[in-house]
Amino acid sequence: GAVVSQHPSWVICKSGTSVKIECRSLDFQATTMFWYRQFPKQSLMLMATSNEGSKATYEQGVEKDKFLINHASLTLSTLTVTSAHPEDSSFYICSALNLAGKYFGPGTRLTVL
Amino acid sequence: RKEVEQDPGPFNVPEGATVAFNCTYSNSASQSFFWYRQDCRKEPKLLMSVYSSGNEDGRFTAQLNRASQYISLLIRDSKLSDSATYLCVVYGQNFVFGPGTRLSVLP
């Protein structure tokens, strides 16, 4: 099946720093990618839809100035968590869409101290 | 009412059992339906799409009832490796995930 990668797979940072997470579709082009957040024992929550060449569409309650999304190419979307705080600690997962379906990256575990 | 609802679980079944998961959705304009499987601390993986006529993949059978806005997943002859959380996903204007149903297959 299609492959989506994320980098880094886990990151620990100090409160107040910014963290960038990359999502790449390795063997297909994705005009649309999605960013999710998952807290322990909860389902995925869509944060935003990343569209190549245009602004991301954010879900209600998600601060666009805190979670910066850049979809610079058909194979790469980045999520930057700015001025991270401990409550931002979570599992961040991206997915990319092709005709066959939606494929997920392996996720990035962010821990903010 | 939530957009996508699933059996709350958890389901604890012995190996070899048949288990069925139910999912209901509220948006009648929904177009596509999927079942995903998520192992603990891992990303969800597409298990199967759900077609209007119903479809089968090995031990897994998916059914769709548009009139009742209901989807099901049947797992026959369950294996220990089937233990996971099963997510119902509905696509209308966006992909909406159900809360998931946890399955534990016991030896």
Side-chain angles (χ1 to χ4, degrees), chain A residues 34 36 38 41-44 46 49 59 91 93 97 100-107 109, chain B residues 6 34 36 38 41-46 49 87 89 91 94-100 102:
Chain A
F34 305 86
Y36 291 84
Q38 185 176 34
K41 298 191 178 184
Q42 294 186 27
S43 189
L44 285 79
L46 179 64
T49 302
E59 295 301 299
F91 192 49
I93 308 175
L97 185 66
K102 199 176 205 187
Y103 295 89
F104 285 83
R109 184 162 298 283
Chain B
Q6 293 185 239
F34 309 88
Y36 278 75
Q38 184 176 27
R41 295 176 178 263
K42 296 282 184 66
E43 77 277 16
K45 292 187 178 178
L46 179 63
S49 301
L87 304 169
V89 182
Y91 178 72
N94 212 329
F95 285 85
V96 181
F97 284 77
R102 182 182 293 276

Side-chain angles (χ1 to χ4, degrees), chain A residues 4-103:
Chain A
V4 176
S5 72
Q6 277 184 243
H7 177 80
S9 54
W10 59 272
V11 58
I12 301 173
C13 68
K14 290 183 179 180
S15 184
T17 60
S18 294
V19 176
K20 180 187 282 189
I21 304 171
E22 293 185 350
C23 176
R24 294 181 186 272
S25 55
L26 299 184
D27 55 358
F28 66 99
Q29 293 182 330
T31 55
T32 305
M33 291 185 176
F34 305 86
W35 286 98
Y36 291 84
R37 182 165 56 183
Q38 185 176 34
F39 292 107
K41 298 191 178 184
Q42 294 186 27
S43 189
L44 285 79
M45 288 183 56
L46 179 64
M47 298 175 67
T49 302
S50 172
N51 303 297
E52 187 269 338
S54 64
K55 292 181 179 180
T57 305
Y58 289 81
E59 295 301 299
Q60 192 172 11
V62 179
E63 299 174 57
K64 63 180 182 180
D65 294 329
K66 179 166 181 67
F67 298 100
L68 301 178
I69 291 173
N70 182 21
H71 197 147
S73 76
L74 289 171
T75 59
L76 172 65
S77 174
T78 60
L79 169 68
T80 301
V81 184
T82 62
S83 187
H85 289 96
E87 57 265 31
D88 297 324
S89 298
S90 188
F91 192 49
Y92 291 85
I93 308 175
C94 74
S95 71
L97 185 66
N98 70 10
L99 292 176
K102 199 176 205 187
Y103 295 89

